[in-house]
Amino acid sequence: MTLFIEQCLNGLQFGLLLFMLAAGLTLVFGIMDLVNLAHGSLYMLGAYFAATFSALTGSFVLGAILAMLATLLVGMVVEVVAMRRLYGRDHLDHVLGTFGLILFFNESVRLIWGPAGLALPLPGWLQQPISILGFQYSAYKFSIIVVSLIVAGGLYALVMRTRIGMLIRAGASNREMVGALGVNIKLLYTLVFGLGAALAGLAGLMQAPILTVQIGMGENILILAFVITVIGGIGSIRGALVAALLVGFIDTLGRSYLPDMLREVLSPAAASTLAPALSSMLIYLLMAIVLIVKPEGLFSAGQR
Amino acid sequence: MPPKTSLLTLRNIVVALLLIALALLPVYAQLAGDRFALTLFTRIVIMALAAVSLNLILGFGGMMSFGHAVYLGIGGYAVGMLAKEGVYSGFVQWPVAILASALFALVIGALSLRTRGVYFIMITLAFAQMAYYIFAGIARYGGDDGLTIYKRSQFIEALNLSDKVQFYYVCLVILFAAIYLVYRLINSRFGMVLQGVRSNEVRMRAIGFATYRYKLTAFVIAGVLCGLSGALLANQADFVSPSVMYWTRSGDLIIMVVLGGMGTVIGPVMGAIALLVLEEVLSGFTEYWQIILGPLLLLVVLFARGGIDGLLATLGERFTLRRPS
């Protein structure tokens, strides 16, 4: 039972982490109509920045904050230099252009930080397990859950309760009209892109102590973020949250329980061959099912 | 009166020279003793076949598939898995590669084509990743590490695929056949409908075409051609691993198509040559060659949308305009 609760918490943690990545992706798509493959590169940069800054400052938290600011900055620069020219073009152009950016970022990271991965050590107070409701859980994973919930709440407040959020929502439903009403659309776009980048960077730096910081780390998880935006409905932040949690739970629980479940019905040999492949397929199966039932995703933003 | 179209444009001359050069390459390799050129160009010809197949749906059908490299893996694994089980006959391996690719294309096409736009991009991507994880998870066939193929596909006594020159010509003949097939297809009624769907699907449906079926058919044909390319690639490398169907490889294929010129029959071939030769040249200069390739791609997207083929056509027009007629 404790194992089950622990796996559920792991699922929640992974889901929230994915949400931060997917939220930026879906924001950028919903508002700028831009498919950004380089989103995973910003996730990677967040992790690299955090490793560097926390080594420089000697503080994990300070390093994390600096890393987020740095990713925000990189995101805004990328928007001004490259992305801005891609708006309003074909999706194929987006895919190709941002694919070029991935190559650029990966090689830049190799050039600056070297081909070997980095480690981002945790401070002592995050390494101890803490006890929640009478059982032990990793303090770091728990703090990821807390931080993600705060960020998700903050994002909700920003989008639903502030003037900027109003403009963002207005931009998502009708870009031309917002521009015609005198809103500085260019600045808004740069801000939104920077916000998405910072969220991706935060996700990257939070995942970094659990996995190693390495080149290409953003590419695998980017696909998951895409799957989430598709399941949730492109452009919908609420959809992204629901889909991210769904994917987080299914992936985590699938990996831990599917082998045992298969062993009940199949021979041990067959089960151990089939289980890893099947558990990594689960979320794609989920996506296929969602698309068969609702081709526009669970919560489609409705405008396209 | 419409202007007389001359066959002797700059573009056509370049294309003809290119095809002749491809056909004569082994002669050069033999004379100059440049064995590496033959290896490189065998790979280029195989990748060109994959790019030609992608172009059928991307360039002519307007279907932005981001998972096309999956067929490279399926075709490759059909060869590799059969070889592992002791079946070396190409008369079995290649049809299995084709059938498996067709079946996979039929299933994922039937599902993916229900969606459009960016959903389609991401779904094809996700299905390809799914296949990637499946093959990476099968321990019997090497899993992550891939599968070494100890014997190339066996056909008749006279044909030895282990011979570099013979293998090159087999690949080249298949590529030329594929180019001819695509050329005939797009100029047929089927191809006209397909291109109509690309320009305006709603209108095509309104005048009574079952566009879904046309798109699905094109999707399956493209999958089959790419699966064949995968079977060739596995034979060339004597190895197949899940990495051939990783999503960045699908990205490479798209780059080839766009770099060469989308929606032209020969463009993808030029794109494959350009990308792979560029890769060779740039990596000779610096280990960090992708730092150049990345921004270069962005520039092509921003400023040279017609690709190499479009560039040749434009150059050709300027060239003819300057002459007094």
Side-chain angles (χ1 to χ4, degrees):
Chain A
M1 191 60 202
T2 34
L3 181 72
F4 180 71
I5 297 175
E6 190 182 335
Q7 292 296 353
C8 280
L9 279 174
N10 282 343
L12 179 67
Q13 178 257 315
F14 188 47
L16 286 169
L17 193 91
L18 287 173
F19 166 69
M20 262 187 286
L21 204 59
L25 207 60
T26 210
L27 260 182
V28 167
F29 187 84
I31 296 165
M32 285 92 106
D33 195 18
L34 176 84
V35 184
N36 180 20
L37 293 183
H39 203 66
S41 300
L42 297 162
Y43 168 91
M44 171 182 71
L45 281 179
Y48 270 93
F49 282 140
T52 308
F53 287 135
S54 60
L56 278 178
T57 57
S59 154
F60 178 77
V61 176
L62 198 61
I65 292 169
L66 284 175
M68 250 186 100
L69 290 176
T71 350
L72 177 85
L73 201 68
V74 171
M76 285 164 69
V77 170
V78 167
E79 200 272 345
V80 172
V81 173
M83 297 302 178
R84 187 168 279 187
R85 284 155 235 281
L86 288 171
Y87 300 149
R89 282 172 171 257
D90 205 37
H91 287 147
L92 177 64
D93 289 7
H94 300 164
V95 166
L96 268 180
T98 53
F99 191 79
L101 282 177
I102 292 183
L103 299 181
F104 175 76
F105 278 122
N106 278 348
E107 289 297 306
S108 306
V109 166
R110 203 191 307 277
L111 199 64
I112 298 168
W113 281 283
L118 295 179
L120 178 55
L122 278 175
W125 55 276
L126 279 175
Q127 281 174 355
Q128 267 98 36
I130 53 162
S131 84
I132 320 161
L133 302 172
F135 74 97
Q136 305 275 304
Y137 191 64
S138 152
Y140 183 64
K141 286 190 173 177
F142 187 71
S143 66
I144 292 185
I145 295 178
V146 173
V147 171
S148 317
L149 282 175
I150 293 172
V151 169
L155 195 64
Y156 176 81
L158 178 78
V159 173
M160 304 307 282
R161 294 275 180 272
T162 65
R163 189 176 162 77
I164 291 218
M166 195 180 71
L167 292 178
I168 289 175
R169 277 178 292 138
S173 55
N174 194 333
R175 281 179 293 165
E176 287 79 10
M177 187 56 87
V178 176
L181 289 173
V183 174
N184 186 344
I185 272 286
K186 276 191 170 175
L187 186 67
L188 183 69
Y189 283 4
T190 310
L191 281 178
V192 169
F193 197 86
L195 180 70
L199 286 176
L202 180 64
L205 74 91
M206 289 204 303
Q207 188 74 315
I210 301 176
L211 307 168
T212 48
V213 181
Q214 59 189 5
I215 294 159
M217 65 185 279
E219 283 152 28
N220 284 322
I221 204 154
L222 173 78
I223 310 289
L224 282 186
F226 272 142
V227 169
I228 288 164
T229 51
V230 168
I231 292 177
I234 293 170
S236 160
I237 294 191
R238 194 166 34 140
L241 181 62
V242 173
L245 290 177
L246 213 57
V247 166
F249 276 113
I250 288 179
D251 193 57
T252 311
L253 294 180
R255 273 173 214 283
S256 48
Y257 290 106
L258 204 63
D260 289 335
M261 278 156 65
L262 282 179
R263 224 162 279 144
E264 299 283 315
V265 281
L266 294 169
S267 68
S272 60
T273 353
L274 203 60
L278 199 63
S279 51
S280 32
M281 267 177 64
L282 272 182
I283 48 166
Y284 299 105
L285 281 179
L286 171 73
M287 187 192 69
I289 293 166
V290 166
L291 286 170
I292 293 165
V293 183
K294 285 192 83 170
E296 298 277 280
L298 293 177
F299 297 80
S300 92
Q303 79 272 29
R304 72 194 79 243
Chain B
M1 209 177 95
K4 220 172 83 182
T5 48
S6 161
L7 268 176
L8 213 65
T9 60
L10 177 69
R11 178 184 168 270
N12 288 356
I13 294 169
V14 171
V15 168
L17 286 177
L18 190 80
L19 295 183
I20 293 169
L22 279 180
L24 292 180
L25 188 99
V27 180
Y28 156 78
Q30 221 58 315
L31 288 178
D34 192 349
R35 289 167 64 85
F36 176 69
L38 194 57
T39 311
L40 174 66
F41 270 84
T42 309
R43 214 169 86 79
I44 288 178
V45 166
I46 294 170
M47 292 317 283
L49 174 62
V52 164
S53 76
L54 176 61
N55 186 39
L56 178 66
I57 51 173
L58 176 62
F60 293 109
M63 287 171 260
M64 169 75 215
S65 166
F66 203 166
H68 207 63
V70 72
Y71 307 107
L72 287 180
I74 291 175
Y77 269 101
V79 170
M81 286 160 88
L82 283 171
K84 165 103 179 169
E85 303 301 341
V87 181
Y88 294 109
S89 168
F91 294 116
V92 180
Q93 287 179 348
W94 293 24
V96 168
I98 287 172
L99 277 177
S101 304
L103 200 67
F104 189 80
L106 190 66
V107 173
I108 67 162
L111 287 173
S112 315
L113 286 169
R114 289 165 51 89
T115 65
R116 57 204 67 251
V118 73
Y119 285 92
F120 184 78
I121 300 178
M122 291 182 189
I123 287 148
T124 46
L125 176 66
F127 276 124
Q129 281 302 100
M130 188 162 101
Y132 169 85
Y133 286 118
I134 293 174
F135 283 108
I138 308 179
R140 175 168 175 80
Y141 300 109
D144 256 338
D145 300 327
L147 182 63
T148 305
I149 299 166
Y150 293 100
K151 235 191 233 174
R152 289 193 177 176
S153 303
Q154 310 284 306
F155 284 94
I156 44 172
E157 202 69 10
L159 188 66
N160 177 13
L161 292 192
S162 299
D163 182 277
K164 280 185 179 225
V165 176
Q166 284 191 35
F167 185 62
Y168 177 81
Y169 277 117
V170 168
C171 297
L172 196 67
V173 165
I174 294 176
L175 174 66
F176 283 179
I179 292 172
Y180 182 68
L181 176 76
V182 169
Y183 174 76
R184 289 299 300 264
L185 264 180
I186 58 149
N187 286 307
S188 68
R189 181 176 175 280
F190 172 80
M192 296 297 166
V193 174
L194 196 63
Q195 290 172 79
V197 169
R198 178 188 60 185
S199 341
N200 193 335
E201 184 170 357
V202 178
R203 190 172 293 171
M204 290 306 283
R205 259 212 305 273
I207 56 177
F209 286 103
T211 56
Y212 180 83
R213 264 182 262 161
Y214 281 88
K215 283 160 79 178
L216 189 57
T217 309
F219 198 83
V220 172
I221 295 172
V224 162
L225 287 178
C226 194
L228 195 56
S229 162
L232 291 173
L233 194 66
N235 269 298
Q236 197 232 351
D238 299 313
F239 179 72
V240 59
S241 79
S243 68
V244 296
M245 54 178 122
Y246 196 59
W247 69 277
T248 50
R249 301 299 295 268
S250 301
D252 288 343
L253 289 179
I254 298 176
I255 293 173
M256 288 174 196
V257 172
V258 174
L259 197 64
M262 235 182 20
T264 62
V265 178
I266 214 78
V269 180
M270 295 196 267
I273 296 174
L275 183 71
L276 294 173
V277 168
L278 197 69
E279 193 178 301
E280 235 12 85
V281 172
L282 286 181
S283 61
F285 280 123
T286 163
E287 187 192 337
Y288 305 102
W289 57 275
Q290 290 193 334
I291 218 166
I292 308 169
L293 181 69
L296 202 67
L297 265 182
L298 198 60
L299 290 179
V300 169
V301 168
L302 290 177
F303 302 113
R305 274 300 260 107
I308 300 171
D309 201 80
L311 215 62
L312 285 177
T314 325
L315 279 178
E317 267 163 36
R318 289 215 186 128
F319 183 64
T320 42
L321 276 182
R322 229 175 276 142
R323 278 192 318 205
S325 51

